[in-house]
C-alpha cells in the first residue's frame, strides 16, 4: 500500500514537472524551469527508493521492472544534462514517459523477484543500462532538433520555438551524447563477449545481433559527422534509426520472451 502511494506521488511530481517545463513552450509564459526540475528531482529520488524497496536493492531484469529502472536513470540523466546545458524541453518528453513506466511497473505489472547474478553480469548490465539511457536522451534531443528545423524551414516562429535552446546548442549536445553512448555501447558489447558464456542458451543471440547493428549505425553517424559534417535531417534519421534498433535489442526481444512466450530472462 505504501509503495502504491509513493508511486502515485512520484507520478504526480513527474507530470507536474513536465507541465511546468511545457508552460513557456505552449503559452510563452514565464519559465518555471527551476521549480519544475526540483519537482522532477524529488520524483527521481522517490522512484529510486521504490525500485530499491520493490526489487530488494537488486537488478530486476524482468520486462516492466527493467523499463522502470531505465526510465528512472534517463530522468536522472536529464536532470544532470540540464545542470550544464539548459534543455528543459527535454523533460517534456522524458518525464511523462517515466511516469507512465513507473505506474506500469508498480500498479499494473505482476510482482517479480530479481534473478541472482554474478558480479561480471551485473557490470555488463549496468554498462548496458547507462548506454541505453544516454542514447535515449540523444534520441529525445533528435526529436527536438527535428521539430526546430521543421519550424524554422516553414517560418513558424511561435513562442514555443523561442523557448527552445539554440539549434546549434541542441545539435552539439546531441553529438556529445551520441559519442558518450557509443563508447558505453562498445563497452557493453565487449563485456558481453568476455562475460556471457552461452548466447543461444540464454536467448541472447537476437539481442546481440541487434545491438551490433545499432552500434554500427551510431558509429557510421559519428564517422559521417567527423568526416563529412553530417547534421540536420541525416543526423536525426540515423539517431532515431539506431535508437529504434537498440530498443528492439533491449526490450523487443524481452517483450516477446516474457509477455508472449512466458519465459524468464
Amino acid at each position: 500500500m505504501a509503495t502504491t502511494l509513493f508511486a502515485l506521488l512520484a507520478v504526480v511530481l513527474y507530470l507536474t514537472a513536465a507541465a511546468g517545463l511545457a508552460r513557456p513552450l505552449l503559452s510563452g509564459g514565464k519559465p518555471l524551469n527551476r521549480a519544475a526540475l526540483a519537482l522532477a528531482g524529488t520524483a527521481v529520488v522517490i522512484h529510486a527508493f521504490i525500485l530499491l524497496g520493490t526489487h530488494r536493492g537488486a537488478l530486476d531484469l524482468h520486462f516492466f521492472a527493467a523499463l522502470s529502472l531505465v526510465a528512472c536513470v534517463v530522468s536522472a540523466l536529464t536532470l544532470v544534462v540540464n545542470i550544464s546545458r539548459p534543455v528543459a524541453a527535454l523533460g517534456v518528453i522524458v518525464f511523462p514517459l517515466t511516469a507512465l513506466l513507473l505506474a506500469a511497473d508498480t500498479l499494473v505489472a505482476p510482482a517479480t523477484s530479481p534473478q541472482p547474478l554474478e558480479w561480471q553480469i551485473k557490470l555488463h548490465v549496468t554498462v548496458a543500462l547507462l548506454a541505453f539511457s544516454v542514447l535515449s536522451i540523444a534520441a529525445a534531443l533528435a526529436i527536438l532538433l527535428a521539430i526546430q528545423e521543421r519550424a524554422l524551414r516553414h517560418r513558424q516562429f511561435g513562442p514555443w520555438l523561442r523557448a527552445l535552446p539554440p539549434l546549434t546548442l541542441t545539435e552539439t549536445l546531441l553529438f556529445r551524447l551520441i559519442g558518450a553512448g557509443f563508447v558505453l555501447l562498445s563497452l557493453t558489447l565487449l563485456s558481453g563477449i568476455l562475460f556471457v558464456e552461452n548466447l543461444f542458451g540464454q536467448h541472447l543471440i537476437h539481442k546481440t545481433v541487434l545491438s551490433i547493428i545499432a552500434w554500427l549505425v551510431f558509429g557510421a553517424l559519428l564517422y559521417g559527422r567527423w568526416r563529412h559534417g553530417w547534421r540536420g535531417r541525416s543526423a536525426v534519421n540515423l539517431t532515431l534509426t539506431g535508437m529504434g534498433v537498440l530498443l528492439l535489442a533491449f526490450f523487443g526481444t524481452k517483450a516477446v520472451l516474457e509477455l508472449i512466450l512466458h519465459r524468464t530472462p
Side-chain angles (χ1 to χ4, degrees):
M1 183 65 179
T3 299
T4 301
L5 291 175
F6 278 115
L8 288 173
L9 175 60
V11 166
V12 170
L13 290 173
Y14 276 130
L15 295 177
T16 305
L21 295 173
R23 184 186 181 200
L25 300 177
L26 298 175
S27 64
K30 185 179 178 181
L32 302 173
N33 294 356
R34 227 176 245 188
L37 293 175
L39 290 175
T42 305
V44 167
V45 171
I46 295 172
H47 191 166
F49 275 109
I50 290 172
L51 289 170
L52 288 171
T54 305
H55 306 298
R56 304 170 192 174
L59 279 172
D60 191 340
L61 301 182
H62 290 85
F63 183 72
F64 289 105
L67 279 174
S68 181
L69 176 59
V70 167
C72 184
V73 174
V74 169
S75 289
L77 289 176
T78 299
L79 294 173
V80 172
V81 167
N82 272 280
I83 292 173
S84 57
R85 292 286 188 276
V87 191
L90 198 56
V92 178
I93 299 173
V94 171
F95 297 147
L97 286 173
T98 302
L100 176 64
L101 294 174
L102 171 60
D105 182 36
T106 54
L107 305 177
V108 178
T112 56
S113 297
Q115 300 288 329
L117 300 172
E118 297 179 354
W119 72 266
Q120 297 96 327
I121 302 302
K122 286 183 180 179
L123 177 62
H124 169 70
V125 170
T126 300
V127 176
L129 169 67
L130 289 173
F132 186 88
S133 299
V134 170
L135 291 170
S136 294
I137 297 177
L141 272 178
I143 293 171
L144 286 178
L145 188 64
I147 293 171
Q148 282 180 278
E149 287 201 326
R150 180 180 174 80
L152 289 172
R153 224 174 15 247
H154 292 83
R155 300 184 178 277
Q156 297 172 347
F157 303 111
W160 64 272
L161 183 62
R162 291 192 293 271
L164 292 174
L167 201 64
T168 52
L169 186 150
T170 305
E171 192 172 73
T172 299
L173 181 57
L174 170 67
F175 278 99
R176 286 182 181 176
L177 287 169
I178 292 173
F182 180 76
V183 171
L184 289 167
L185 187 56
S186 301
L187 293 174
T188 300
L189 293 172
L190 178 61
S191 61
I193 293 170
L194 294 175
F195 300 142
V196 178
E197 297 178 356
N198 188 351
L199 292 177
F200 290 95
Q202 299 180 47
H203 310 293
L204 296 175
I205 188 65
H206 299 92
K207 181 179 294 187
T208 303
V209 171
L210 288 169
S211 296
I212 291 172
I213 293 172
W215 181 81
L216 291 172
V217 171
F218 286 117
L221 173 56
L222 291 173
Y223 176 80
R225 171 71 169 184
W226 169 70
R227 196 76 177 84
H228 305 292
W230 287 357
R231 54 183 303 178
R233 187 175 298 179
S234 298
V236 169
N237 290 341
L238 281 174
T239 301
L240 295 180
T241 298
M243 193 61 219
V245 175
L246 201 61
L247 185 63
L248 284 175
F250 279 53
F251 291 104
T253 53
K254 185 178 287 291
V256 171
L257 284 172
E258 292 188 39
L259 304 183
I260 298 176
L261 301 179
H262 302 292
R263 296 178 184 174
T264 56

